[in-house]
Amino acid sequence: MIRFEGVTKAFHRRTVLDGLTLDVQPGQLVGLIGRNGAGKSTALRVLTGQLVPDAGVALVGGHDVQREPLAARRLLGYVPQGGELEPFLTGKEVLEFVASLRGVDPAEAAPLLERFELSAAADRLTREYSEGMTRRLALAAALLGRPPVLVLDEPLNGLDPKGVRLVRAALLERVSEGAAVLVTGHFLETLERISTRVVLIEAGHVARDLDRAALDALGASGRTLEDVFLEVVG
């Protein structure tokens, strides 16, 4: 459902992505990790059509995101890093607006607000929301219509432990239903526990690709994903 084929992207002569090749299949949750500036957010912005790659291609559901942007976006739920919501809409209005853009029944908003414990704040302006509330609302918006692909940039930032549990449960449910989920983050312990695979990028390309068996073997050997991370990035 998600594929990067030899994607390269440079800014001011600095190569951020260098022939990145990566795929996420239906029913997989892939954690994308790397040091700050490794290109994680750049990869997601290429995948969502916000950036044009210098070389290579990114596909969602077999659709080239540059040549077939509308077809690709119809399949996609996206939570950007630090994404701000419209400050003069309420939480409920945000979800209803996103639902109208996607052609989704606005009645889906209420159950999602309840699921992410935002029902009591549904009629408050989002500018009054805490960071954690904003992140939960952004994920609720991404889940509207149950898209088959989810792309999430640092979705657990600003969440308390209960918020992390709510988001984790929602993601694992979508994976169990066959969605392809790509998540970036530095919450290595959580990613090690819930991911189908964890991909570590360094110098703009894949340095490690650990499947579930490899992740389980780490725990059995007394090592952690953090140990692997530090071995690669130094």
Side-chain angles (χ1 to χ4, degrees):
M1 289 298 288
I2 296 172
R3 184 157 180 82
F4 296 88
E5 296 181 353
V7 171
T8 296
K9 183 66 183 177
F11 298 100
H12 308 295
R13 298 182 180 180
R14 185 178 77 87
T15 299
V16 178
L17 298 176
D18 186 11
L20 178 66
T21 295
L22 168 66
D23 69 273
V24 184
Q25 298 298 321
Q28 288 189 337
L29 188 158
V30 174
L32 185 64
I33 65 173
R35 70 173 85 206
N36 293 333
K40 302 183 299 297
S41 293
T42 298
L44 268 55
R45 290 174 68 195
V46 168
L47 184 65
T48 53
Q50 299 172 73
L51 290 175
V52 179
D54 300 325
V57 63
L59 303 105
V60 174
H63 300 287
D64 182 331
V65 299
Q66 293 300 320
R67 296 182 178 179
E68 304 173 272
L70 293 180
R73 288 172 188 166
R74 288 191 189 102
L75 302 175
L76 188 68
Y78 175 49
V79 176
Q81 183 179 16
E84 295 184 359
L85 303 170
E86 170 52 56
F88 296 104
L89 292 180
T90 66
K92 181 181 178 182
E93 289 170 339
V94 166
L95 294 192
E96 290 176 343
F97 175 66
V98 173
S100 69
L101 292 177
R102 291 189 180 169
V104 172
D105 185 349
E108 287 192 22
L112 284 167
L113 288 166
E114 182 176 358
R115 173 163 199 169
F116 291 104
E117 300 189 353
L118 293 169
S119 295
D123 295 319
R124 286 168 49 190
L125 297 178
T126 61
R127 64 180 179 176
E128 301 173 5
Y129 280 22
S130 68
E131 182 181 1
M133 293 168 69
T134 298
R135 298 303 283 171
R136 282 183 276 142
L137 184 63
L139 180 59
L143 289 171
L144 280 165
R146 307 183 81 79
V149 176
L150 290 173
V151 177
L152 314 171
D153 200 356
E154 302 278 3
L156 301 187
N157 281 3
L159 294 180
D160 61 23
K162 189 171 185 180
V164 170
R165 178 174 290 184
L166 290 171
V167 171
R168 186 176 64 212
L171 296 183
L172 290 175
E173 178 182 287
R174 290 299 294 124
V175 169
S176 72
E177 295 169 345
V181 180
L182 181 61
V183 181
T184 72
H186 295 288
F187 40 97
L188 300 186
E189 183 177 348
T190 297
L191 285 177
E192 182 175 354
R193 187 164 63 250
I194 70 172
S195 296
T196 310
R197 289 163 47 222
V198 173
V199 175
L200 192 159
I201 61 173
E202 175 70 0
H205 60 270
V206 174
R208 294 285 191 279
D209 189 338
L210 305 173
D211 62 13
R212 186 66 255 168
L215 293 169
D216 290 341
L218 282 177
S221 68
R223 300 174 71 239
T224 66
L225 184 58
E226 180 178 305
D227 294 326
V228 175
F229 182 95
L230 293 174
E231 286 172 6
V232 173
V233 306

